[in-house]
């Protein structure tokens, strides 16, 4: 291999490494906060497509509106709690959030019948188990960026913009309150108190029960119910 070729290869590898280092921090965060219900749960959503290969069995279950199977949360728990913190921790957090929002949306009551869907109880138990994953990780990591990302997730719930969160968000008050006891940073403690306050004041508004996948297939504004539940 000539000197010129070796130099070209070195430059190419260096550029590749720099590009990877530059793009990686963009993924080391909570990625659903700026998405509306259609974008954060549709089967073609870019975040889901990015994470599906890492957790294929998990997404097969949580995105199936007819499934009552408990997903195996051990891979997510392992990745979210790993040390040192890297992209895998944040991938696991975002996967938890997608599963929570999808199944949580299906636990709401149908505005026409006043009845819940056939997977109501299964989805309720599964969302409770999902929430326990980041709560446990929060107490086990000293990493400030990961703790902030976990709070971003709970803040997204408290905002009440995604389907079902206005109905179920208030159930998390006690759980979020427990995080304050695990926190020593005064600014983060204050943030937790703000999230808890928002959850306490969340109010259920009328809206048709639907998951995020079905929200992506929504035919249009004229056929929507419960407009206040829609995200941006």
């Amino acid at each position: 291999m000539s000197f010129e070729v070796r130099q070209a290869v070195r430059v190419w590898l260096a550029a590749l490494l720099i590009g990877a280092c530059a793009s990686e921090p963009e993924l080391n965060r909570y990625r659903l906060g700026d998405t509306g219900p259609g974008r954060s749960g549709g089967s073609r959503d870019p975040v889901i497509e990015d994470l599906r290969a890492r957790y294929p069995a998990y997404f097969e279950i949580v995105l199936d509106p007819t499934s009552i199977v408990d997903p195996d949360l051990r891979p997510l728990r392992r990745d979210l709690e790993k040390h040192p913190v890297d992209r895998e921790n944040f991938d696991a957090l975002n996967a938890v959030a997608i599963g929570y929002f999808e199944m949580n949306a299906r636990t709401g009551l149908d505005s026409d019948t006043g009845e819940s869907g056939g997977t109501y109880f299964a989805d309720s138990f599964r969302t409770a188990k999902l929430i326990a994953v980041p709560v446990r990780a929060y107490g086990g990591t000293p990493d400030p960026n990961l703790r902030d990302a976990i709070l971003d997730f709970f803040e997204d719930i408290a905002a009440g913009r995604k389907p079902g969160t206005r109905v179920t968000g208030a159930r998390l008050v006690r759980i979020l309150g427990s995080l304050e006891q695990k926190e020593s940073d005064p600014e983060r403690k204050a943030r937790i108190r703000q999230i808890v306050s928002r959850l306490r004041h969340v109010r259920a508004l009328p809206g048709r029960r639907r998951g995020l996948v079905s929200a992506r297939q929504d035919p249009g504004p004229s056929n929507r119910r419960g407009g206040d539940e829609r995200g941006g």
Side-chain angles (χ1 to χ4, degrees), residues 143-155:
D143 188 272
N145 293 328
L146 183 56
R147 285 196 165 192
D148 284 339
I150 292 173
L151 292 184
D152 287 342
F153 168 43
F154 286 114
E155 199 165 56

Side-chain angles (χ1 to χ4, degrees), residues 149-171:
I150 292 173
L151 292 184
D152 287 342
F153 168 43
F154 286 114
E155 199 165 56
D156 198 11
I157 297 174
R161 291 189 297 265
K162 291 183 171 66
T165 50
R166 290 186 182 276
V167 178
T168 61
R171 301 174 187 173

